[in-house]
Amino acid sequence: MGGAVSAGEDNDELIDNLKEAQYIRTELVEQAFRAIDRADYYLEEFKDNAYKDLAWKHGNIHLSAPCIYSEVMEALDLQPGLSFLNLGSGTGYLSSMVGLILGPFGVNHGVELHSDVIEYAKQKLDFFIKTSDSFDKFEFCEPSFVTGNCLEISPDCTQYDRVYCGAGVQKEHEDYMKNLLKVGGILVMPLEEKLTKITRIGPSAWETKKILAVSFAPLIQPNHADSGKSRLVHLPPVAVRSLQDLARIAIRGTIKKIIHQETMGKNGNGLKNPPRFKRRRVRRRRMETIVFLDKEVFASRISNPSDDNNNSEDIEDERREEEETKPSEIKPDPPVNFLREKVLSLPLPDPLKYYLLYYREK
């Protein structure tokens, strides 16, 4: 069995492969995928599989295949300032990528059935905020997670601009899901074994598009055996940011603009790219199988049969290119967090500096 795209040696190479196979098609989605290392959401003993295009499950912890998340992110058509609801939020990997696009004035909520998975997601979120330089490259909409069955959301909850459900939705629950959307909103969910995009174009009008054949484990039905009563899920309130928090966002944004202007001044037009190691060319093989893994399925893209006839030419071209580029390869400098350096150099009291940096240690 194989995935829809080749495995990568690291997160960047996995994203390169997803781009080549046209699963990632927009710059915003690409930036979000590159900013968060998929391996950080794996348990340590399973990280060797993090960059394969495969789903992963251990106990209640589950990650869909990268090609599925790519299609979901593209279909959601995310923009800064939107509200997002993730039903079956799991590890928080998808919610964190979404948060990078929504920015500081978005809303990012998740509902997860299993309390142990909620704790796992919070640990991963805390690790990202404290250690990742990507946190300073973006203005982040931090996700908030609540425990409960997503089929028992309180009827007086707010509606959302974007909704994703990470479990198979039965036909009888389709209207329930649609009602979580604002007019103009987009819902992406597995419906009748198809990853489906539904756009609410009016109070009672919808547009539906089938994206990809998939097979997800179905939504777990509410269990009222103990009390006989529904346990309503109350979503987090939409918080109003304090003036102090708004000032921090504005100051960080201004410093980033200054850094960008300084970079453009040093590099001329600002388009100079740092030297990078040459990545191995990805050669897709012809595949006609459908892959099943732990109740999840994804179809391989079928490459042109002529690709197989060009393998020897590709290998020879790659060898020639490696010989040509070998003398000029320069080991890249370690990444620098310019925002952090700039903040720490400001003539401000240390407590204010650390507040501007969200008290991050790195």
Side-chain angles (χ1 to χ4, degrees):
M1 293 193 303
V5 300
S6 302
E9 293 183 4
D10 56 25
N11 196 66
D12 277 330
E13 189 168 332
L14 172 62
I15 307 313
D16 289 343
N17 297 345
L18 291 167
K19 279 188 66 181
E20 183 180 8
Q22 290 295 301
Y23 284 103
I24 293 178
R25 301 178 288 277
T26 59
E27 185 177 354
L28 273 178
V29 171
E30 179 186 352
Q31 289 175 349
F33 269 86
R34 291 195 189 279
I36 297 184
D37 195 322
R38 180 175 168 90
D40 289 342
Y41 290 79
Y42 274 66
L43 292 169
E44 193 65 37
E45 60 266 34
F46 299 103
K47 285 190 175 183
D48 288 346
N49 296 320
Y51 306 123
K52 297 177 181 178
D53 190 31
L54 298 171
W56 172 66
K57 183 175 174 60
H58 181 79
N60 291 325
I61 303 170
H62 177 262
L63 280 167
S64 291
C67 67
I68 300 296
Y69 282 136
S70 304
E71 291 285 8
V72 169
M73 290 281 284
E74 293 287 357
L76 285 170
D77 189 20
L78 296 160
Q79 303 294 331
L82 296 180
S83 57
F84 172 67
L85 177 62
N86 189 354
L87 303 174
S89 52
T91 64
Y93 172 64
L94 178 67
S95 292
S96 292
M97 287 195 293
V98 169
L100 296 175
I101 298 177
L102 296 183
F105 304 113
V107 175
N108 193 355
H109 294 163
V111 180
E112 169 57 44
L113 182 63
H114 303 288
S115 59
D116 60 323
V117 180
I118 290 276
E119 289 305 311
Y120 186 85
K122 289 179 177 178
Q123 292 171 14
K124 296 302 179 183
L125 175 61
D126 187 59
F127 178 80
F128 168 73
I129 291 174
K130 287 183 176 180
T131 66
S132 175
D133 283 341
S134 294
F135 182 83
D136 283 334
K137 294 176 183 176
F138 297 79
E139 290 300 333
F140 187 49
C141 182
E142 184 175 335
S144 298
F145 305 114
V146 296
T147 306
N149 191 305
C150 65
L151 293 175
E152 295 185 299
I153 293 175
S154 175
D156 61 355
C157 79
T158 185
Q159 292 177 314
Y160 291 80
D161 297 302
R162 301 291 186 266
V163 177
Y164 171 65
C165 181
V169 178
Q170 295 88 344
K171 188 66 177 177
E172 60 264 31
H173 298 308
E174 180 180 356
D175 289 342
Y176 170 90
M177 295 292 177
K178 287 179 176 179
N179 287 329
L180 296 171
L181 274 185
K182 295 178 181 178
V183 173
I186 295 173
L187 164 66
V188 178
M189 62 181 178
L191 181 66
E192 297 183 315
E193 298 191 344
K194 296 285 193 303
L195 189 64
T196 304
K197 175 181 179 179
I198 298 175
T199 306
R200 188 170 194 171
I201 58 175
S204 302
W206 316 85
E207 284 183 352
T208 300
K209 177 184 178 182
K210 305 294 184 182
I211 301 172
L212 185 71
V214 294
S215 180
F216 281 63
L219 282 172
I220 295 176
Q221 301 299 308
N223 183 4
H224 303 149
D226 295 337
S227 63
K229 295 180 180 180
S230 174
R231 299 171 182 171
L232 290 181
V233 176
H234 296 280
L235 296 171
V238 177
V240 178
R241 290 188 177 273
S242 67
L243 182 60
Q244 182 174 324
D245 195 17
L246 292 172
R248 174 167 57 182
I249 293 168
I251 293 170
R252 285 168 62 94
T254 300
I255 294 174
K256 288 179 181 179
K257 289 178 182 177
I258 293 172
I259 293 171
H260 178 67
Q261 291 168 357
E262 291 176 349
T263 303
M264 289 189 68
K266 291 178 182 177
N267 296 340
N269 60 6
L271 298 178
K272 185 177 179 182
N273 292 320
R276 295 179 61 186
F277 287 116
K278 183 180 183 303
R279 294 196 180 280
R280 179 175 291 276
R281 180 193 303 248
V282 179
R283 295 189 295 275
R284 285 185 283 169
R285 297 179 174 82
R286 189 167 42 147
M287 302 178 68
E288 298 178 347
T289 58
I290 296 178
V291 180
F292 293 84
L293 182 64
D294 194 38
K295 299 185 179 179
E296 184 164 353
V297 62
F298 42 89
S300 297
R301 297 289 176 93
I302 301 176
S303 61
N304 192 318
S306 64
D307 289 348
D308 292 338
N309 300 327
N310 295 329
N311 277 352
S312 59
E313 295 178 12
D314 288 344
I315 294 172
E316 181 62 25
D317 289 343
E318 183 178 323
R319 185 189 64 78
R320 225 180 280 117
E321 289 175 8
E322 287 178 347
E323 289 178 355
E324 291 172 0
T325 58
K326 188 174 181 180
S328 62
E329 277 186 355
I330 303 172
K331 187 174 181 179
D333 294 329
V336 178
N337 188 330
F338 293 106
L339 176 66
R340 183 177 183 85
E341 288 193 348
K342 184 71 75 173
V343 169
L344 292 176
S345 70
L346 294 174
L348 297 172
D350 285 347
L352 183 53
K353 292 179 184 179
Y354 293 127
Y355 176 76
L356 289 173
L357 294 170
Y358 288 87
Y359 303 103
R360 299 175 71 237
E361 298 171 0
K362 184 178 177 182

